């Protein structure tokens, strides 16, 4: 018996979406992508390199980001959009394709400050703060890291002690995104009962901030030191359900999730720039895209972006199904940020000297991604989290 061969079908290849990832998105998710992309193309992209150069955050965009429903986008109720995790991821990809500073603003506002209040706050705290934060009328920050406690926040020195039914907070937080522009800070502090979180409002007495201006990365973002010199807050300012460091780590999961998507946006921006440039730039009598080594770089980058975007999408569908494990988030945060940084560096080589300027986005993304590799758990921390899960052995200390 002879087997009949199936008829050969010609399948069209979309070189802008090699693996048809768009087809994995729902119409609503595509609408989010298109709307966010159009908003950023119009309102953010034209000025973002200038903001990076000047070291300023484009605060004028906050109202527009809020109108698009991007602040606390994945949260339900209290004025939040209640979008799917995938839709939120798609938005993060678009934001970071513009600049990591914008994705970071949205991450800190929604995934960290608002999630902390949503997950661990009292009803009164949720009703008071979440609608304001979702509408962009108030800005939030999340203060966990300290000068001497970054990867290991459990050794934090900031302390809150009970005093006459109130709490008195002393200590310093460092590297806090949105710090000096925040109306409310979610502050993690050690107490006699364990680690707790407090909502400290900008107007609190003896609370001060100082911006860090000499960053060479994430320049279009506010990063601050926060100082608490016997700051008194009432017990109503404590997040009642945050009863250990695990609560802070649960918020970090949310932000790390967005980074897994966002990093692919930065990578895509670099790749698109390098591909276009390689077709136009000539050397030795032909476009540099015609050299084998350039093609190898382009193919490696395109493949890494397909892999990273597929991983981010799978992470999103797991999150939407309610079955996401923190270790899965670590796998994707670590892999996608590393991949994006490699793509940025390789894109820069294709652009030669021009790639080193702010005329093109690649060095800006490359510098930003050094921060992204470090914050929300360094590459090494995520390696150890995943290594511990695989081996059952803790290699942290
Ligand atoms: P460990 O023993 O691992 O866990 C303590 C308790 O926490 C639970 N837990 C988690 N829960 C939810 N999500 C997670 N990802 C969790 N990881 C751990 C865990 O189950 C346990 O619960 P229980 O009930 O058994 O007590 O804790 P550890 O102290 O050994 O943690 C180690 C380590 C290194 C993993 C952790 O400290 C860590 O992740 N360090 C990195 C710190 C970090 O990422 N900082 C980020 C600061 S915020 C920031 O950077 C914002 S950047 C701006 C932006 O996002 O754009
Ligand atoms: P360290 O913890 O001192 O680590 C230094 C090096 O040692 C790293 O390479 C690290 O991986 C390595 N290392 C540490 N422990 C181990 C180990 N056990 N094994 C192997 N290697 C190890 N924090 C907030 O709380 N809120 C924010 O909004 C915020 N925004 C930020 C914005 C920017 C621009 C930056 C740069 C940081 C921000 N951070 C924020 C802080 C960030 O989370 C920390 O920088 C990060 O957690 C790492 O801490 P660290 O810088 O103190 O490095």
């Amino acid at each position: 018996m002879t087997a009949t061969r199936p008829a050969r079908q010609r399948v069209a290849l979309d070189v802008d979406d090699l693996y048809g990832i768009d087809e994995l998105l729902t119409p609503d998710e595509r609408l989010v992508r298109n709307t966010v992309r159009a908003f950023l193309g119009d309102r953010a992209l034209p000025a973002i390199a200038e903001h990076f150069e000047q070291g300023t955050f484009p605060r004028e965009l906050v109202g527009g980001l809020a109108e698009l429903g991007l602040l606390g986008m994945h949260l339900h109720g209290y004025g939040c959009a209640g979008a799917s995790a995938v839709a939120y991821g798609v938005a993060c990809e678009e934001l970071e394709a513009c600049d990591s500073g914008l994705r970071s603003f949205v991450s800190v506002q929604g995934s960290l400050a608002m999630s902390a209040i949503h997950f661990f706050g009292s009803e009164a705290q949720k009703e008071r703060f979440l609608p304001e934060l979702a509408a962009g009328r108030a800005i939030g920050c999340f203060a966990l890291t300290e000068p001497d406690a970054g990867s290991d926040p459990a050794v934090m020195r900031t302390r809150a002690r009970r005093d006459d039914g109130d709490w008195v907070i002393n200590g310093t937080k460092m590297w806090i995104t949105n710090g000096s522009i925040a109306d409310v800070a979610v502050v993690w502090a050690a107490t006699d009962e364990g680690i707790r979180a407090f909502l400290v409002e900008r107007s609190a007495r003896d609370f001060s901030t100082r911006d860090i201006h000499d960053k060479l990365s994430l320049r279009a973002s506010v990063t601050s030191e926060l100082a608490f010199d016997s700051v008194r807050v009432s017990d109503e300012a404590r997040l009642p359900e945050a009863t250990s460091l695990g609560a802070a780590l649960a918020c970090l999961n949310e932000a790390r999730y967005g980074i897994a998507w966002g990093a692919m946006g930065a990578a895509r921006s670099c790749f698109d720039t390098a591909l276009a440039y390689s077709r136009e730039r000539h050397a030795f009598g032909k476009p540099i895209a015609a050299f084998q080594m350039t093609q190898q770089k382009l193919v490696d980058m395109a493949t890494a972006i397909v892999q990273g975007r597929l991983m981010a999408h799978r992470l999103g569908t797991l999150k939407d199904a309610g079955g996401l494990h923190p270790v899965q988030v670590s796998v994707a945060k670590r892999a996608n940020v590393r991949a994006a940084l490699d793509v940025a560096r390789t894109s820069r080589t294709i652009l030669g000297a021009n790639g080193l300027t702010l005329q093109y986005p690649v060095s800006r993304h490359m510098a930003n991604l050094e921060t992204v590799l470090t914050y929300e758990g360094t590459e090494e921390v995520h390696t150890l989290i995943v290594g511990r899960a695989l081996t059952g052995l803790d290699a942290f200390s």
Side-chain angles (χ1 to χ4, degrees):
M1 217 169 76
T2 52
T4 50
R5 279 188 173 183
R8 281 186 66 194
Q9 276 185 334
R10 270 209 170 275
V11 176
L13 181 69
D14 178 358
V15 290
D16 292 326
D17 183 13
L18 278 176
Y19 261 59
I21 295 173
D22 250 23
E23 291 164 26
L24 300 176
L25 303 180
T26 64
D28 280 353
E29 289 156 0
R30 270 183 233 139
L31 183 65
V32 166
R33 182 203 51 206
N34 296 344
T35 313
V36 176
R37 190 177 292 184
F39 170 82
L40 295 171
D42 237 27
R43 303 264 304 271
L45 263 179
I48 198 67
E50 172 80 9
H51 276 292
F52 185 95
E53 189 167 22
Q54 299 300 323
T56 50
F57 170 65
R59 196 167 173 173
E60 62 279 7
L61 296 178
V62 172
L65 298 173
E67 271 172 33
L68 291 176
L70 302 186
L71 307 182
M73 183 178 182
H74 63 304
L75 300 174
H76 292 264
Y78 309 98
C80 303
S84 71
V86 170
Y88 177 49
V90 165
C92 287
E93 185 180 318
E94 293 308 317
L95 287 160
E96 198 144 359
C98 183
D99 193 273
S100 302
L102 293 183
R103 199 270 309 133
S104 210
F105 173 80
V106 167
S107 288
V108 169
Q109 178 89 349
S111 292
L112 294 180
M114 292 175 72
S115 289
I117 297 170
H118 202 282
F119 297 167
F120 304 111
S122 66
E123 198 50 40
Q125 289 167 337
K126 291 181 204 183
E127 279 170 11
R128 173 157 175 227
F129 289 104
L130 291 177
E132 292 297 297
L133 292 162
R137 288 189 293 272
I139 291 177
C141 71
F142 185 91
L144 179 64
T145 305
E146 300 187 353
D148 296 314
S151 298
D152 186 11
V155 299
M156 68 177 66
R157 289 188 188 156
T158 298
R159 280 201 66 80
R161 69 178 162 76
R162 280 190 187 273
D163 187 70
D164 236 0
D166 291 339
W167 293 88
V168 177
I169 306 173
N170 278 288
T172 306
K173 294 290 175 178
M174 192 66 179
W175 297 109
I176 306 307
T177 302
N178 300 347
S180 68
I181 60 170
D183 300 284
V184 59
V186 176
V187 181
W188 298 87
T191 74
D192 286 344
E193 296 139 49
I195 289 175
R196 299 288 185 270
F198 300 88
L199 299 178
V200 178
E201 294 185 58
R202 181 212 288 271
S203 55
R205 265 185 71 177
D206 305 312
F207 167 43
S208 60
T209 64
R210 185 184 63 85
D211 283 345
I212 299 166
H213 289 293
D214 57 356
K215 288 175 293 171
L216 299 176
S217 171
L218 218 73
R219 289 184 53 73
S221 171
V222 173
T223 315
S224 319
E225 180 183 60
L226 311 186
F228 304 88
D229 184 7
S230 297
V231 174
R232 180 176 288 273
V233 294
S234 71
D235 193 44
E236 279 78 62
R238 183 175 54 84
L239 296 181
E241 306 300 326
T243 53
S244 73
L245 183 61
L249 298 177
C251 300
L252 299 187
N253 279 341
E254 301 296 314
R256 291 167 177 175
Y257 168 81
I259 290 173
W261 283 83
M264 284 298 110
R268 193 189 74 210
S269 166
C270 293
F271 172 77
D272 289 348
T273 305
L275 179 61
Y277 187 91
S278 70
R279 287 190 177 124
E280 281 165 18
R281 178 76 179 180
H282 282 65
F284 299 95
K286 53 183 180 178
I288 59 170
F291 296 121
Q292 289 181 351
M293 274 189 272
T294 308
Q295 291 196 2
Q296 180 166 26
K297 289 177 186 177
L298 292 168
V299 172
D300 283 346
M301 291 194 288
T303 307
I305 292 169
V306 166
Q307 288 170 333
R309 292 184 72 211
L310 285 172
M311 179 142 60
H313 189 273
R314 174 67 182 148
L315 200 68
T317 54
L318 285 171
K319 189 162 165 51
D320 277 327
L324 193 58
H325 192 283
V327 170
Q328 292 170 319
V329 181
S330 286
V331 169
K333 192 274 182 181
R334 174 181 179 275
N336 284 4
V337 177
R338 166 53 60 192
L341 192 51
D342 290 346
V343 166
R345 286 175 179 161
T346 306
S347 295
R348 213 287 304 153
T349 67
I350 290 178
L351 271 75
N354 282 326
L356 295 166
T357 70
L358 279 173
Q359 192 188 339
Y360 295 93
V362 292
S363 276
R364 178 166 53 80
H365 284 306
M366 188 166 69
N368 284 339
L369 287 163
E370 290 291 346
T371 283
V372 184
L373 192 76
T374 295
Y375 69 22
E376 285 295 350
T378 64
E379 183 175 42
E380 293 80 6
V381 160
H382 289 292
T383 304
L384 296 176
I385 290 172
V386 180
R388 180 169 65 183
L390 293 178
T391 63
L393 299 169
D394 188 328
F396 275 103
S397 51

